[in-house]
Amino acid sequence: MPIGDYDPRFYKRQRLGTISLTANVQAHLDAVQDTEHFPSYFELVGTRTGKVLGKFPVVGTNDGDWYFNGNGAIYLNQRHLSLCGISSTRKFAVTDKAVVEVHQPILYIGAETDVVEDTPLYESPTSRTVVATVPAGTKVTVIGMRMGPSEEATPPLLVKTPFGLTGWHRRDLAGGTSSLQIYLCN
């Protein structure tokens, strides 16, 4: 099978199957594994045109549970590329020419993590108004994540404290430091 635009020294392509995305659109699901690093990719390739309808970065090709219902909606449950072990489900819609993400206001996470250093929580994912500061050593729950137009390396996280207070953790305002254990993979 042709590798496409990938360097064959570092990538391996495998066809996983053919799916009916809608009554009129069928696609091959290919796994493109990066054999040296990450990310790897899944691609949906149109059966009639051979064109890539959608390309989806994943940590590895064994990372990703697909749900195809045949009516034009597709769901991919996968680990986030920069959060340790955390997965969420993304929704996509099929058009005649592409598979496009249907951006959700928040992706559910529901994971407990520890606060590594004193961490401010903000009133919204775009706000600079601090509603609380959580001390280091506190166990918090990451309720969800706000996704942008692409998978950001540091998406805003909706956090709930042990007292039930919720606020947004914005790693971008903390200078990129890992204030929550959820960023530390080792």
Side-chain angles (χ1 to χ4, degrees), residues 13-179:
R13 180 184 290 270
Q14 177 184 3
R15 178 137 302 150
L16 302 177
T18 303
I19 300 106
S20 290
L21 303 178
T22 67
N24 299 323
V25 179
Q26 288 75 38
H28 302 296
L29 177 61
D30 290 355
V32 182
Q33 180 183 1
D34 185 326
T35 58
E36 295 291 318
H37 301 93
F38 79 95
S40 292
Y41 299 92
F42 286 109
E43 288 187 349
L44 287 168
V45 180
T47 58
R48 292 182 194 150
T49 64
K51 298 201 185 272
V52 175
L53 302 174
K55 179 178 178 177
F56 312 91
V58 291
V59 174
T61 55
N62 60 345
D63 170 43
D65 294 318
W66 288 93
Y67 303 95
F68 300 98
N69 60 14
N71 71 358
I74 300 169
Y75 301 90
L76 170 61
N77 184 278
Q78 69 176 102
R79 284 188 298 156
H80 190 272
L81 294 177
S82 66
L83 301 179
C84 296
I86 301 304
S87 37
S88 60
T89 301
R90 299 166 61 197
K91 180 179 181 180
F92 301 90
V94 177
T95 68
D96 289 338
K97 297 181 181 182
V99 174
V100 295
E101 185 158 9
V102 178
H103 288 282
Q104 304 299 307
I106 187 170
L107 297 178
Y108 175 74
I109 301 294
E112 286 193 2
T113 191
D114 294 315
V115 177
V116 176
E117 57 189 55
D118 291 357
T119 301
L121 297 180
Y122 298 91
E123 70 179 353
S124 77
T126 58
S127 172
R128 291 183 177 265
T129 302
V130 176
V131 294
T133 300
V134 184
T138 305
K139 188 171 284 298
V140 296
T141 302
V142 177
I143 298 170
M145 157 175 64
R146 178 180 173 251
M147 294 300 291
S150 64
E151 189 166 309
E152 303 168 40
T154 58
L157 302 174
L158 181 58
V159 174
K160 183 172 100 175
T161 69
F163 302 110
L165 176 75
T166 59
W168 289 88
H169 170 62
R170 295 199 42 209
R171 191 171 178 206
D172 62 325
L173 293 183
T177 60
S178 57
S179 303

